[in-house]
Amino acid sequence: MFTVLNDPDLPELKVCLETRVGGKSGQELLSELDPGSFFVSKGVKEDILSEDSTRVLDDKVSVKFARVKVSELGFKDIPPQVREVWSRIQSLGLSLCKMNDAIILRLKIKPSIGEVVFVATEQSARFGGIYHLFTLGQYHDSRCLSRILIHPKHKLSLDKEIIIRISEFS
């Protein structure tokens, strides 16, 4: 499946996952990650549980996610800053992921061994403007969901892959 964007300079974005999200609290979602198969960093747990671990954040909806390279969002030659990438995603009419999407993505997407993919989340900017970025990683038999701290002016490589929401429907 593909989603066509109105910008003629951009390629069609391929859907990497279409799934139902919402209807569960962060605590419920975290409990679905088997500790024998998944590693979840302390930072991820803190971020997700800091919301309100027992509150259901959203109604259940179907969402299409795309896994794109930074260059596919229209950046050429010069690596953009993280905040520029997030702004570009939104200016294209696409959406940043919700915090709990990271857990669902971790359950359903398996990057290659040693590969790390960013999850572009809307709650990224935190204290002092530092971004909290969730990453999906695969290390031998363990699937990792981690958080890195990154300055919004940090530049992302043009071939860095990120996951974004491209559509949502009931």
Side-chain angles (χ1 to χ4, degrees):
M1 302 190 97
F2 293 89
T3 298
V4 179
L5 301 176
N6 293 331
D7 189 329
D9 295 331
L10 293 176
E12 294 176 343
L13 300 180
K14 186 174 182 188
V15 174
C16 72
L17 176 66
E18 182 175 339
T19 190
R20 303 276 297 163
V21 300
K24 292 185 180 179
S25 69
Q27 188 172 20
E28 289 171 315
L29 287 169
L30 283 171
S31 71
E32 293 181 20
L33 296 173
D34 173 23
S37 302
F38 295 93
F39 168 77
V40 180
S41 75
K42 180 180 176 185
V44 168
K45 290 176 185 175
E46 288 171 355
D47 278 356
I48 289 183
L49 297 178
S50 71
E51 290 297 307
D52 180 347
S53 63
T54 59
R55 184 169 56 102
V56 175
L57 300 177
D58 296 314
D59 292 331
K60 202 157 189 147
V61 295
S62 291
V63 175
K64 291 181 183 180
F65 295 95
R67 182 172 165 175
V68 300
K69 290 185 178 186
V70 169
S71 62
E72 293 175 311
L73 296 171
F75 295 101
K76 305 290 183 221
D77 304 325
I78 301 171
Q81 297 174 357
V82 174
R83 67 179 175 194
E84 293 171 327
V85 175
W86 269 225
S87 179
R88 176 71 171 155
I89 290 166
Q90 293 172 315
S91 74
L92 291 170
L94 304 170
S95 299
L96 298 171
C97 297
K98 296 182 187 282
M99 198 176 295
N100 285 350
D101 289 348
I103 301 168
I104 294 162
L105 291 165
R106 178 63 290 175
L107 282 165
K108 301 199 179 231
I109 293 177
K110 185 176 181 180
S112 302
I113 292 178
E115 182 179 32
V116 175
V117 180
F118 286 162
V119 178
T121 55
E122 60 187 21
Q123 294 88 352
S124 294
R126 294 293 192 183
F127 307 107
I130 298 299
Y131 279 36
H132 288 202
L133 296 183
F134 291 152
T135 64
L136 308 180
Q138 181 70 33
Y139 303 99
H140 303 289
D141 293 334
S142 181
R143 292 177 170 187
C144 300
L145 176 57
S146 300
R147 175 189 76 185
I148 62 171
L149 303 178
I150 194 166
H151 194 279
K153 291 184 180 179
H154 178 82
K155 295 187 182 263
L156 292 180
S157 165
L158 293 172
D159 58 351
K160 184 66 185 163
E161 289 188 320
I162 57 177
I163 296 177
I164 58 176
R165 280 181 170 220
I166 55 176
S167 66
E168 178 180 308
F169 49 97
S170 297

Coordinates of all heavy atoms in Angstrom, one line a residue, residues 66-156:
A66 N 4.6 4.6 8.3 CA 5.6 4.5 7.3 C 7.0 4.6 7.9 O 7.2 5.3 8.9 CB 5.4 5.6 6.2
R67 N 7.9 3.9 7.3 CA 9.3 3.9 7.7 C 10.0 4.6 6.6 O 10.1 4.0 5.5 CB 9.8 2.4 7.9 CG 11.2 2.3 8.4 CD 11.5 0.9 8.8 NE 12.9 0.6 8.9 CZ 13.4 -0.5 9.3 NH1 12.6 -1.5 9.6 NH2 14.7 -0.6 9.4
V68 N 10.5 5.8 6.8 CA 11.1 6.6 5.8 C 12.5 7.0 6.1 O 12.9 7.2 7.3 CB 10.3 7.8 5.5 CG1 8.9 7.4 5.0 CG2 10.2 8.8 6.6
K69 N 13.3 7.3 5.1 CA 14.6 7.9 5.3 C 14.4 9.4 5.4 O 13.4 10.0 4.7 CB 15.5 7.6 4.2 CG 16.0 6.1 4.2 CD 17.0 5.9 3.1 CE 17.5 4.4 3.2 NZ 18.5 4.2 2.3
V70 N 15.2 10.1 6.1 CA 15.1 11.6 6.2 C 15.1 12.2 4.8 O 14.3 13.1 4.5 CB 16.2 12.1 7.1 CG1 16.3 13.7 7.0 CG2 16.1 11.7 8.5
S71 N 15.9 11.7 3.9 CA 16.0 12.3 2.5 C 14.6 12.1 1.8 O 14.3 13.0 0.9 CB 17.1 11.6 1.7 OG 16.8 10.2 1.6
E72 N 13.8 11.1 2.1 CA 12.5 10.9 1.5 C 11.5 12.0 1.9 O 10.4 12.1 1.3 CB 12.0 9.6 1.8 CG 12.8 8.4 1.2 CD 12.3 7.1 1.5 OE1 12.1 6.8 2.8 OE2 12.1 6.2 0.6
L73 N 11.8 12.8 2.9 CA 10.9 13.9 3.3 C 11.3 15.2 2.6 O 10.7 16.2 3.0 CB 11.0 14.0 4.9 CG 10.5 12.8 5.7 CD1 10.8 13.0 7.1 CD2 9.0 12.6 5.4
G74 N 12.2 15.1 1.7 CA 12.5 16.3 0.9 C 13.8 17.0 1.2 O 14.1 18.0 0.7
F75 N 14.5 16.4 2.2 CA 15.8 17.0 2.5 C 16.9 16.5 1.6 O 17.0 15.3 1.4 CB 16.2 16.7 4.0 CG 15.2 17.3 5.0 CD1 14.2 16.5 5.5 CD2 15.3 18.6 5.3 CE1 13.4 17.1 6.5 CE2 14.5 19.2 6.2 CZ 13.5 18.4 6.8
K76 N 17.7 17.4 1.0 CA 18.7 17.0 0.1 C 20.0 17.6 0.5 O 20.1 18.7 1.0 CB 18.4 17.4 -1.4 CG 17.0 16.9 -1.8 CD 17.1 15.4 -2.0 CE 15.7 14.9 -2.6 NZ 15.3 13.7 -2.0
D77 N 21.1 17.0 0.3 CA 22.5 17.5 0.4 C 22.9 17.8 1.9 O 24.0 17.3 2.3 CB 22.7 18.8 -0.4 CG 22.4 18.5 -1.9 OD1 22.7 17.4 -2.4 OD2 21.9 19.4 -2.5
I78 N 22.1 18.6 2.6 CA 22.6 19.0 4.0 C 21.7 18.3 5.0 O 20.4 18.4 4.9 CB 22.4 20.5 4.1 CG1 23.3 21.2 3.1 CG2 22.8 20.9 5.5 CD1 23.1 22.7 3.0
P79 N 22.3 17.6 5.9 CA 21.5 16.9 7.0 C 20.7 18.0 7.8 O 21.3 19.0 8.2 CB 22.5 16.2 7.8 CG 23.7 16.0 6.9 CD 23.7 17.2 6.0
P80 N 19.4 17.7 8.0 CA 18.6 18.7 8.7 C 18.7 18.4 10.2 O 19.1 17.4 10.7 CB 17.2 18.4 8.2 CG 17.2 16.9 8.0 CD 18.6 16.7 7.4
Q81 N 18.3 19.4 11.0 CA 18.2 19.3 12.4 C 16.9 18.5 12.8 O 16.0 18.5 12.0 CB 18.1 20.7 13.1 CG 19.3 21.5 12.9 CD 19.1 23.0 13.5 OE1 18.0 23.3 13.9 NE2 20.1 23.7 13.4
V82 N 16.9 17.8 13.9 CA 15.8 17.0 14.4 C 14.5 17.8 14.3 O 13.5 17.4 13.8 CB 16.0 16.5 15.8 CG1 14.8 15.7 16.3 CG2 17.2 15.5 15.8
R83 N 14.5 19.0 14.9 CA 13.3 19.9 14.9 C 12.8 20.2 13.5 O 11.6 20.4 13.3 CB 13.5 21.1 15.8 CG 14.5 22.1 15.2 CD 14.6 23.3 16.1 NE 15.7 24.2 15.6 CZ 16.2 25.1 16.4 NH1 15.8 25.4 17.6 NH2 17.1 25.9 15.9
E84 N 13.7 20.3 12.5 CA 13.3 20.6 11.2 C 12.6 19.4 10.5 O 11.7 19.6 9.8 CB 14.6 21.0 10.3 CG 15.2 22.3 10.7 CD 16.5 22.6 10.0 OE1 17.3 21.6 9.7 OE2 16.8 23.7 9.7
V85 N 13.1 18.2 10.9 CA 12.5 17.0 10.4 C 11.1 16.9 11.0 O 10.1 16.6 10.2 CB 13.3 15.8 10.7 CG1 12.6 14.5 10.3 CG2 14.7 15.8 10.1
W86 N 10.9 17.1 12.3 CA 9.6 17.0 12.9 C 8.7 18.0 12.3 O 7.5 17.7 12.0 CB 9.7 17.2 14.4 CG 10.0 16.0 15.2 CD1 9.3 15.7 16.4 CD2 10.8 14.9 15.0 NE1 9.7 14.4 16.9 CE2 10.7 14.0 16.1 CE3 11.8 14.6 14.0 CZ2 11.4 12.8 16.1 CZ3 12.5 13.4 14.1 CH2 12.3 12.5 15.1
S87 N 9.1 19.2 12.1 CA 8.3 20.3 11.5 C 7.9 19.9 10.0 O 6.8 20.1 9.6 CB 9.1 21.6 11.5 OG 8.4 22.6 10.9
R88 N 8.8 19.3 9.3 CA 8.6 18.9 7.9 C 7.5 17.8 7.9 O 6.6 17.9 7.0 CB 9.9 18.4 7.3 CG 9.7 17.9 5.9 CD 9.4 19.0 4.9 NE 9.5 18.5 3.5 CZ 8.9 19.0 2.5 NH1 8.2 20.1 2.6 NH2 8.9 18.4 1.3
I89 N 7.6 16.9 8.8 CA 6.6 15.8 8.8 C 5.2 16.4 9.0 O 4.3 16.1 8.2 CB 6.9 14.8 10.0 CG1 8.1 14.0 9.7 CG2 5.7 13.9 10.3 CD1 8.7 13.3 10.9
Q90 N 5.0 17.3 9.9 CA 3.7 18.0 10.1 C 3.3 18.9 9.0 O 2.1 18.9 8.6 CB 3.8 18.7 11.4 CG 3.9 17.7 12.6 CD 4.1 18.4 13.9 OE1 4.9 19.4 14.0 NE2 3.4 18.0 15.0
S91 N 4.3 19.6 8.3 CA 3.9 20.4 7.2 C 3.4 19.6 6.0 O 2.7 20.2 5.1 CB 5.1 21.3 6.8 OG 6.1 20.6 6.1
L92 N 3.8 18.4 5.9 CA 3.3 17.5 4.8 C 2.0 16.9 5.1 O 1.5 16.1 4.3 CB 4.4 16.4 4.6 CG 5.7 16.8 4.0 CD1 6.7 15.7 4.0 CD2 5.5 17.3 2.6
G93 N 1.4 17.2 6.2 CA 0.1 16.7 6.6 C 0.2 15.3 7.2 O -0.8 14.6 7.3
L94 N 1.4 14.9 7.5 CA 1.6 13.6 8.2 C 1.6 13.8 9.7 O 1.5 15.0 10.2 CB 2.9 13.0 7.7 CG 3.1 12.8 6.2 CD1 4.5 12.5 5.8 CD2 2.1 11.8 5.7
S95 N 1.7 12.8 10.5 CA 1.7 12.9 11.9 C 2.8 12.3 12.6 O 3.4 11.3 12.2 CB 0.4 12.3 12.5 OG -0.8 12.9 12.0
L96 N 3.2 12.9 13.8 CA 4.2 12.3 14.6 C 3.5 11.2 15.4 O 2.3 11.2 15.6 CB 4.8 13.3 15.6 CG 5.5 14.5 14.9 CD1 5.9 15.5 16.0 CD2 6.8 14.0 14.2
C97 N 4.2 10.2 15.8 CA 3.7 9.0 16.6 C 3.3 9.5 18.0 O 3.9 10.4 18.5 CB 4.6 7.9 16.6 SG 5.1 7.2 15.0
K98 N 2.4 8.8 18.6 CA 2.1 9.0 20.0 C 3.0 8.2 20.8 O 3.6 7.2 20.3 CB 0.6 8.7 20.2 CG -0.4 9.6 19.5 CD -1.8 9.2 19.8 CE -2.7 10.0 18.9 NZ -2.9 11.4 19.3
M99 N 3.2 8.5 22.0 CA 4.2 7.8 22.8 C 3.9 6.3 22.9 O 4.9 5.5 22.8 CB 4.2 8.4 24.2 CG 5.5 8.1 25.0 SD 5.6 8.9 26.6 CE 5.8 10.6 26.2
N100 N 2.7 5.9 23.1 CA 2.4 4.5 23.2 C 2.5 3.8 21.9 O 2.6 2.5 21.9 CB 1.0 4.3 23.8 CG 0.9 4.6 25.3 OD1 1.9 4.8 25.9 ND2 -0.3 4.6 25.8
D101 N 2.6 4.5 20.8 CA 2.8 3.8 19.5 C 4.1 3.1 19.5 O 4.3 2.1 18.8 CB 2.8 4.8 18.4 CG 1.5 5.4 18.0 OD1 0.4 4.9 18.5 OD2 1.4 6.4 17.3
A102 N 5.1 3.6 20.2 CA 6.4 3.0 20.2 C 6.4 1.6 20.7 O 7.1 0.7 20.2 CB 7.4 3.8 21.1
I103 N 5.6 1.3 21.7 CA 5.5 -0.1 22.2 C 4.8 -1.0 21.2 O 5.3 -2.1 20.9 CB 4.6 -0.1 23.5 CG1 5.3 0.8 24.6 CG2 4.5 -1.5 24.0 CD1 4.4 1.1 25.8
I104 N 3.8 -0.5 20.5 CA 3.1 -1.3 19.5 C 4.1 -1.5 18.3 O 4.2 -2.7 17.8 CB 1.8 -0.6 19.0 CG1 0.8 -0.6 20.2 CG2 1.2 -1.3 17.8 CD1 -0.3 0.4 20.1
L105 N 4.8 -0.5 17.9 CA 5.8 -0.7 16.9 C 6.9 -1.7 17.3 O 7.3 -2.5 16.5 CB 6.4 0.7 16.5 CG 5.5 1.7 15.9 CD1 6.1 3.1 15.9 CD2 5.2 1.3 14.4
R106 N 7.3 -1.6 18.5 CA 8.3 -2.6 19.0 C 7.8 -4.0 18.9 O 8.5 -5.0 18.6 CB 8.7 -2.2 20.4 CG 9.7 -3.2 21.1 CD 11.1 -3.2 20.4 NE 11.0 -3.9 19.1 CZ 12.0 -4.0 18.2 NH1 13.1 -3.5 18.5 NH2 11.8 -4.6 17.1
L107 N 6.5 -4.2 19.2 CA 5.9 -5.6 19.2 C 5.8 -6.1 17.7 O 6.0 -7.3 17.5 CB 4.5 -5.5 19.8 CG 4.4 -5.5 21.3 CD1 3.0 -5.2 21.8 CD2 4.8 -6.9 21.9
K108 N 5.6 -5.2 16.8 CA 5.2 -5.6 15.4 C 6.3 -5.5 14.4 O 6.2 -6.0 13.3 CB 4.0 -4.9 15.0 CG 2.8 -5.2 15.9 CD 1.5 -4.9 15.3 CE 0.4 -5.3 16.3 NZ -0.6 -6.1 15.8
I109 N 7.3 -4.6 14.7 CA 8.4 -4.4 13.6 C 9.7 -5.0 14.2 O 10.1 -4.7 15.3 CB 8.5 -2.9 13.3 CG1 7.3 -2.4 12.6 CG2 9.8 -2.6 12.5 CD1 7.2 -0.9 12.3
K110 N 10.4 -5.7 13.3 CA 11.7 -6.2 13.7 C 12.8 -5.7 12.7 O 12.9 -6.2 11.6 CB 11.6 -7.8 13.6 CG 12.9 -8.5 14.1 CD 12.7 -10.0 14.1 CE 13.9 -10.6 14.6 NZ 13.8 -12.1 14.6
P111 N 13.6 -4.7 13.2 CA 14.7 -4.2 12.3 C 15.7 -5.3 12.2 O 15.7 -6.3 12.9 CB 15.2 -3.1 13.1 CG 14.2 -2.7 14.1 CD 13.4 -4.0 14.4
S112 N 16.6 -5.1 11.2 CA 17.7 -6.1 11.0 C 18.6 -6.0 12.3 O 18.7 -5.0 13.0 CB 18.6 -5.7 9.8 OG 17.7 -5.7 8.7
I113 N 19.4 -7.1 12.5 CA 20.3 -7.1 13.7 C 21.3 -5.9 13.5 O 21.9 -5.7 12.5 CB 21.1 -8.4 13.7 CG1 20.1 -9.5 14.1 CG2 22.2 -8.4 14.8 CD1 20.6 -10.9 14.2
G114 N 21.4 -5.2 14.6 CA 22.3 -4.0 14.7 C 21.7 -2.7 14.2 O 22.3 -1.7 14.3
E115 N 20.6 -2.8 13.6 CA 19.9 -1.6 13.0 C 19.1 -0.9 14.1 O 18.6 -1.5 15.0 CB 19.0 -2.0 11.9 CG 18.3 -0.9 11.2 CD 17.4 -1.5 10.1 OE1 16.8 -2.6 10.2 OE2 17.2 -0.7 9.1
V116 N 19.1 0.5 14.0 CA 18.4 1.3 15.0 C 17.5 2.2 14.2 O 18.0 2.9 13.3 CB 19.3 2.1 15.9 CG1 18.5 3.0 16.8 CG2 20.1 1.1 16.8
V117 N 16.2 2.3 14.5 CA 15.2 3.1 13.8 C 14.6 4.1 14.8 O 14.2 3.6 15.9 CB 14.1 2.3 13.1 CG1 13.1 3.1 12.4 CG2 14.7 1.2 12.2
F118 N 14.5 5.4 14.5 CA 13.9 6.3 15.4 C 12.4 6.3 15.2 O 11.8 6.0 14.1 CB 14.3 7.8 15.0 CG 15.7 8.2 15.4 CD1 16.3 9.2 14.9 CD2 16.4 7.4 16.4 CE1 17.6 9.6 15.3 CE2 17.6 7.8 16.8 CZ 18.2 8.9 16.2
V119 N 11.6 6.5 16.3 CA 10.2 6.7 16.3 C 10.0 8.2 16.5 O 10.3 8.7 17.5 CB 9.5 5.8 17.4 CG1 8.0 6.1 17.3 CG2 9.8 4.4 17.2
A120 N 9.4 8.8 15.5 CA 9.2 10.3 15.6 C 7.9 10.5 16.4 O 6.8 10.4 16.0 CB 9.0 10.9 14.2
T121 N 8.1 10.9 17.7 CA 7.0 11.0 18.6 C 6.7 12.5 18.9 O 7.6 13.3 19.0 CB 7.3 10.3 20.0 OG1 8.5 10.8 20.5 CG2 7.4 8.8 19.8
E122 N 5.4 12.7 19.1 CA 4.9 14.1 19.3 C 5.3 14.6 20.7 O 5.4 15.8 20.9 CB 3.4 14.2 19.1 CG 2.6 13.4 20.0 CD 1.1 13.4 19.7 OE1 0.8 13.7 18.6 OE2 0.3 13.1 20.6
Q123 N 5.6 13.8 21.6 CA 6.0 14.2 23.0 C 7.5 14.4 23.1 O 8.1 14.3 24.2 CB 5.5 13.2 24.0 CG 4.0 13.1 24.1 CD 3.4 12.1 23.2 OE1 4.1 11.5 22.3 NE2 2.2 11.8 23.3
S124 N 8.2 14.5 22.0 CA 9.7 14.5 22.0 C 10.3 15.6 22.8 O 11.2 15.4 23.6 CB 10.2 14.6 20.6 OG 9.9 13.5 19.8
A125 N 9.9 16.8 22.7 CA 10.5 17.9 23.4 C 10.2 17.9 24.9 O 9.1 17.8 25.3 CB 10.1 19.3 22.8
R126 N 11.2 17.8 25.7 CA 11.1 17.7 27.1 C 11.8 18.9 27.8 O 12.1 19.9 27.2 CB 11.7 16.4 27.6 CG 11.0 15.2 27.1 CD 9.6 15.1 27.7 NE 9.0 13.8 27.5 CZ 7.9 13.5 27.8 NH1 7.1 14.3 28.5 NH2 7.4 12.3 27.6
F127 N 12.1 18.7 29.1 CA 12.7 19.7 29.9 C 14.0 20.3 29.2 O 14.8 19.6 28.7 CB 13.2 19.1 31.2 CG 12.0 18.5 31.9 CD1 11.9 17.1 32.0 CD2 11.0 19.2 32.4 CE1 10.9 16.5 32.6 CE2 9.9 18.6 33.1 CZ 9.9 17.2 33.2
G128 N 14.0 21.6 29.1 CA 15.1 22.3 28.5 C 15.2 22.2 27.0 O 16.2 22.5 26.4
G129 N 14.1 21.7 26.4 CA 14.1 21.5 24.9 C 14.8 20.3 24.4 O 14.8 20.1 23.2
I130 N 15.3 19.5 25.3 CA 16.0 18.2 24.9 C 14.9 17.3 24.4 O 13.9 17.1 25.0 CB 16.8 17.6 26.0 CG1 17.9 18.6 26.4 CG2 17.4 16.3 25.6 CD1 18.9 19.0 25.4
Y131 N 15.2 16.6 23.3 CA 14.2 15.7 22.7 C 14.5 14.3 23.3 O 15.6 13.9 23.5 CB 14.4 15.5 21.2 CG 13.7 16.6 20.4 CD1 13.6 17.9 20.9 CD2 13.1 16.3 19.2 CE1 13.0 18.9 20.1 CE2 12.5 17.3 18.5 CZ 12.4 18.6 18.9 OH 11.8 19.6 18.2
H132 N 13.4 13.6 23.7 CA 13.5 12.2 24.1 C 13.0 11.4 22.9 O 11.8 11.4 22.5 CB 12.5 11.9 25.3 CG 13.0 12.5 26.6 ND1 12.6 12.1 27.8 CD2 13.9 13.5 26.8 CE1 13.2 12.7 28.7 NE2 13.9 13.6 28.2
L133 N 13.9 10.7 22.2 CA 13.6 9.9 21.1 C 13.6 8.4 21.4 O 14.5 7.9 21.9 CB 14.6 10.2 19.9 CG 14.7 11.6 19.4 CD1 15.6 11.6 18.2 CD2 13.3 12.0 18.9
F134 N 12.5 7.8 21.0 CA 12.4 6.3 21.2 C 13.1 5.7 20.0 O 13.0 6.2 18.9 CB 11.0 5.8 21.3 CG 10.3 6.2 22.6 CD1 8.9 6.4 22.6 CD2 11.0 6.5 23.7 CE1 8.3 6.8 23.7 CE2 10.3 6.8 24.9 CZ 9.0 7.0 24.9
T135 N 13.8 4.6 20.2 CA 14.5 3.9 19.2 C 14.1 2.4 19.2 O 13.9 1.8 20.3 CB 16.0 4.0 19.2 OG1 16.5 3.4 20.4 CG2 16.5 5.4 19.2
L136 N 13.9 1.8 18.0 CA 13.7 0.4 17.9 C 15.0 -0.2 17.5 O 15.6 0.2 16.5 CB 12.6 0.0 16.9 CG 11.3 0.8 17.0 CD1 10.4 0.3 15.8 CD2 10.6 0.5 18.3
G137 N 15.5 -1.2 18.2 CA 16.7 -1.9 17.8 C 16.6 -3.4 17.9 O 15.7 -3.9 18.6
Q138 N 17.5 -4.1 17.2 CA 17.4 -5.6 17.2 C 18.9 -6.0 17.5 O 19.8 -5.7 16.7 CB 16.9 -6.1 15.9 CG 16.9 -7.6 15.8 CD 15.7 -8.2 16.7 OE1 14.7 -7.5 16.9 NE2 16.0 -9.3 17.2
Y139 N 19.1 -6.8 18.6 CA 20.4 -7.3 18.9 C 20.3 -8.8 19.2 O 19.7 -9.2 20.2 CB 20.9 -6.5 20.2 CG 21.0 -5.0 19.9 CD1 20.0 -4.2 20.4 CD2 22.0 -4.5 19.2 CE1 20.0 -2.9 20.2 CE2 22.0 -3.1 18.9 CZ 21.0 -2.3 19.4 OH 21.0 -1.0 19.2
H140 N 20.7 -9.5 18.2 CA 20.6 -11.0 18.3 C 19.2 -11.4 18.7 O 18.3 -11.2 17.9 CB 21.6 -11.6 19.2 CG 23.0 -11.2 18.8 ND1 23.6 -11.6 17.7 CD2 23.9 -10.3 19.4 CE1 24.8 -11.1 17.6 NE2 25.0 -10.2 18.6
D141 N 18.9 -12.0 19.8 CA 17.6 -12.5 20.2 C 16.8 -11.5 20.9 O 15.7 -11.8 21.3 CB 17.7 -13.8 21.0 CG 18.3 -15.0 20.2 OD1 18.2 -14.9 19.0 OD2 18.9 -15.8 20.8
S142 N 17.3 -10.3 21.2 CA 16.5 -9.4 22.0 C 16.1 -8.2 21.1 O 16.9 -7.6 20.4 CB 17.4 -8.9 23.1 OG 16.8 -8.0 23.9
R143 N 14.8 -7.9 21.2 CA 14.3 -6.7 20.6 C 14.3 -5.5 21.6 O 13.9 -5.7 22.8 CB 12.8 -6.9 20.2 CG 12.7 -7.8 19.1 CD 11.2 -8.0 18.8 NE 11.0 -8.8 17.6 CZ 9.8 -9.0 17.0 NH1 8.8 -8.5 17.6 NH2 9.7 -9.7 15.9
C144 N 14.9 -4.4 21.3 CA 15.1 -3.3 22.2 C 14.2 -2.1 21.9 O 14.0 -1.8 20.8 CB 16.6 -2.9 22.2 SG 17.7 -4.2 22.6
L145 N 13.7 -1.5 23.0 CA 13.0 -0.3 22.9 C 13.7 0.7 23.8 O 13.7 0.4 25.1 CB 11.5 -0.4 23.3 CG 10.7 0.8 23.3 CD1 10.7 1.6 22.0 CD2 9.2 0.5 23.7
S146 N 14.4 1.6 23.3 CA 15.2 2.5 24.1 C 14.9 3.9 23.9 O 14.1 4.3 23.0 CB 16.7 2.3 23.8 OG 17.1 1.0 24.0
R147 N 15.5 4.8 24.7 CA 15.3 6.2 24.6 C 16.7 6.9 24.5 O 17.5 6.5 25.3 CB 14.5 6.8 25.8 CG 14.4 8.3 25.8 CD 13.8 8.8 27.1 NE 14.9 8.8 28.1 CZ 14.7 9.1 29.4 NH1 13.5 9.4 29.8 NH2 15.7 9.1 30.2
I148 N 16.8 7.8 23.6 CA 18.0 8.6 23.6 C 17.7 10.0 23.8 O 16.6 10.5 23.5 CB 18.9 8.4 22.3 CG1 18.1 8.9 21.1 CG2 19.3 7.0 22.1 CD1 18.9 9.0 19.8
L149 N 18.6 10.8 24.4 CA 18.4 12.2 24.6 C 19.2 12.9 23.5 O 20.3 12.6 23.3 CB 18.9 12.7 26.0 CG 18.2 11.9 27.1 CD1 18.9 12.4 28.4 CD2 16.7 12.1 27.2
I150 N 18.5 13.9 22.8 CA 19.1 14.5 21.7 C 18.7 16.0 21.6 O 17.6 16.3 21.9 CB 18.8 13.8 20.4 CG1 19.7 14.2 19.2 CG2 17.3 13.9 20.0 CD1 19.6 13.2 18.1
H151 N 19.6 16.9 21.3 CA 19.3 18.3 21.2 C 18.6 18.5 19.9 O 18.9 17.9 18.9 CB 20.6 19.1 21.2 CG 20.4 20.5 21.5 ND1 20.0 21.4 20.5 CD2 20.5 21.3 22.6 CE1 19.9 22.6 20.9 NE2 20.2 22.6 22.2
P152 N 17.6 19.4 19.9 CA 16.7 19.6 18.7 C 17.5 20.2 17.6 O 17.1 20.0 16.4 CB 15.7 20.6 19.2 CG 16.1 21.1 20.5 CD 17.1 20.2 21.1
K153 N 18.7 20.7 17.8 CA 19.6 21.2 16.7 C 20.5 20.1 16.2 O 21.2 20.4 15.2 CB 20.4 22.4 17.2 CG 19.6 23.7 17.5 CD 20.4 24.8 17.8 CE 19.6 26.1 18.1 NZ 20.4 27.2 18.5
H154 N 20.5 19.0 16.8 CA 21.3 17.8 16.3 C 20.9 17.5 14.9 O 19.7 17.5 14.6 CB 21.1 16.6 17.2 CG 21.9 15.4 16.8 ND1 23.2 15.3 17.1 CD2 21.5 14.4 16.0 CE1 23.7 14.1 16.5 NE2 22.6 13.6 15.9
K155 N 21.8 17.2 14.0 CA 21.5 16.9 12.7 C 21.3 15.4 12.5 O 22.1 14.6 13.0 CB 22.6 17.5 11.7 CG 22.6 19.0 11.8 CD 23.6 19.6 10.8 CE 23.6 21.1 10.9 NZ 22.8 21.7 9.9
L156 N 20.3 15.1 11.7 CA 20.1 13.7 11.3 C 20.6 13.4 10.0 O 20.4 14.1 9.0 CB 18.6 13.4 11.3 CG 17.9 13.4 12.7 CD1 16.4 13.1 12.5 CD2 18.5 12.4 13.6

